[in-house]
Amino acid sequence: MHKAGFVNIFGKPNAGKSTLLNALVGEKLAIISPKVQTTRHRITGIVTEPGYQIVFSDTPGIIDPRYRLHEKMMGAVKSALEDADVALLIMDAKDRVEESLELFDSLKLKVNRILVLNKTDLLKKEELAALKARCEAWGKAPVIAISAMQRVGIKELLEQIVARLPEGEPFYPEDTLTDKSTRFFVAEIIREKIFHLFEEEIPYHTTVVVSQFQEKETLTKISAEIVVTRETQKAIILGEKGKSIRQLGTLARQDIEKFIGRKVFLELFVKVRSKWRDNDTYLREYGY
Ligand code: GDP
Ligand code: K
Ligand code: MG
């Protein structure tokens, strides 16, 4: 019997959704940073093994606890979760447990769900036992303790997911890792480095567009535009004598080379588009 299904990863910002997606797929697909709202798109990661295929989605961190009572938003999240075969409710083991359980409760989910305690590498043994007991007492989902970062508990989690998958044929050919293009991942890698290198509002005012992607004989030539909203932001990204953008280029190139498995020549340009975040034409052009 072959099993196949869709699994959504849901949790508060920074719970570790993107890190878990990467751990499950065994590849770096989703960008990770300690800042909230790093993930802007739904990223699909596909795991195909003999006997099953799972299509995972990493949801953007749209759930801000401050807006928890915002019904419309919760409605959208809920219906996305109910569309899946299994919902992974992930919480940061260091976070306030009652608050997370209350958030999960408020969804009133009917779909199969698993409560995933992440970042358990940060807890002492007794702390973990107490947390697990509290979550098991909640009683609305089986509880699995993991460390997405250290890849601990992933196998057990996969087993629990597979046990809840419906019977069915695979949705994608077996070598498919994701439904997104290489260009998309290249832009995401550059965006991740911007999150790491620049402070405050800059990452949130920036988007990245890959304008050229050419496979040459010995390397891949990539040009990308970094779009910001103000001249002052452009100056910061360039840095003194271009120092910052060179650093950004080097870090991004190294990761892109790892991702595509080829040498890369990367060219970065910075463009100012004062209203890109409010302009529908730009948003479409930039893939939102
Ligand atoms: P998301 O916002 O839910 O997608 O969270 P991310 O995957 O971007 O992770 C947020 C932060 O938590 C990053 O700094 C990660 O490195 C960190 N993180 C994720 N998983 C773990 C874990 O298992 N252990 C520890 N110690 N940190 C983690
Ligand atoms: K994050
Ligand atoms: Mg994320």
Side-chain angles (χ1 to χ4, degrees):
M1 180 186 75
H2 191 277
K3 290 181 149 196
F6 292 82
V7 175
N8 279 343
I9 305 172
F10 171 80
K12 292 204 300 197
N14 283 344
K17 298 177 290 294
S18 298
T19 309
L20 175 58
L21 178 76
N22 293 338
L24 287 162
V25 179
E27 289 280 340
K28 191 173 164 191
L29 293 178
I31 65 174
I32 291 160
S33 97
K35 295 174 184 156
V36 298
Q37 284 169 17
T38 311
T39 307
R40 290 183 190 155
H41 304 267
R42 270 183 92 125
I43 295 178
T44 300
I46 302 159
V47 175
T48 307
E49 293 292 340
Y52 68 85
Q53 181 174 73
I54 312 173
V55 184
F56 289 101
S57 289
D58 173 18
T59 54
I62 44 173
I63 278 297
D64 183 319
R66 277 176 302 168
Y67 302 130
R68 197 164 56 205
L69 297 174
H70 198 317
E71 271 174 35
K72 209 164 164 191
M73 193 192 245
M74 289 305 275
V77 171
K78 183 175 152 69
S79 69
L81 284 171
E82 297 277 11
D83 274 347
D85 297 297
V86 181
L88 297 185
L89 306 176
I90 176 170
M91 67 187 256
D92 180 334
K94 288 290 246 187
D95 218 0
R96 283 184 298 261
V97 52
E98 299 307 327
E99 197 178 293
S100 295
L101 294 178
E102 198 187 304
L103 169 68
F104 297 148
D105 260 335
S106 67
L107 291 167
K108 300 194 170 50
L109 289 179
K110 291 191 198 75
V111 67
N112 261 313
R113 67 218 88 112
I114 299 172
L115 181 59
V116 180
L117 307 180
N118 187 33
K119 310 196 192 182
T120 56
D121 54 288
L122 300 175
L123 297 190
K124 295 198 194 79
K125 233 176 154 181
E126 320 80 75
E127 287 173 326
L128 177 57
L131 177 66
K132 252 191 119 170
R134 170 64 191 99
C135 291
E136 271 155 6
W138 180 55
K140 291 180 186 156
V143 181
I144 308 270
I146 67 161
S147 166
M149 197 168 71
Q150 300 184 349
R151 308 290 198 255
V152 172
I154 303 302
K155 194 164 161 264
E156 193 194 347
L157 178 58
L158 272 170
E159 283 166 10
Q160 293 289 331
I161 294 167
V162 173
R164 289 167 177 77
L165 284 187
E167 223 180 297
E169 291 308 307
F171 297 96
Y172 294 91
E174 65 174 317
D175 57 354
T176 314
L177 210 60
T178 177
D179 63 346
K180 291 272 195 288
S181 66
T182 307
R183 273 175 179 247
F184 168 82
F185 288 108
V186 167
E188 287 289 281
I189 290 168
I190 298 167
R191 226 162 54 74
E192 178 182 63
K193 301 309 165 201
I194 293 169
F195 265 92
H196 286 268
L197 289 175
F198 300 100
E199 292 301 316
E200 296 172 18
E201 92 281 6
I202 292 215
Y204 300 100
H205 284 242
T206 303
T207 193
V208 176
V209 184
V210 173
S211 47
Q212 193 192 25
F213 189 98
Q214 271 186 316
E215 307 254 356
K216 305 264 189 194
E217 208 168 306
T218 54
L219 52 73
T220 301
K221 185 162 182 267
I222 299 171
S223 308
E225 288 166 8
I226 298 168
V227 183
V228 294
T229 57
R230 291 193 206 108
E231 289 293 339
T232 48
Q233 295 162 346
K234 176 173 174 175
I236 292 170
I237 289 189
L238 292 173
E240 210 185 319
K241 296 190 181 132
K243 199 169 151 227
S244 301
I245 198 164
R246 272 201 303 279
Q247 190 188 5
L248 170 63
T250 304
L251 290 173
R253 181 182 45 78
Q254 289 166 346
D255 271 24
I256 297 167
E257 287 180 339
K258 259 188 257 164
F259 187 75
I260 65 179
R262 297 196 76 201
K263 270 188 85 63
V264 165
F265 176 77
L266 177 65
E267 243 181 342
L268 297 176
F269 303 91
V270 187
K271 254 194 272 322
V272 180
R273 289 277 176 275
S274 63
K275 296 234 160 39
W276 78 261
R277 298 192 306 166
D278 304 317
N279 180 310
D280 282 341
T281 314
Y282 284 140
L283 285 173
R284 254 197 312 279
E285 187 183 331
Y286 302 152
Y288 290 99

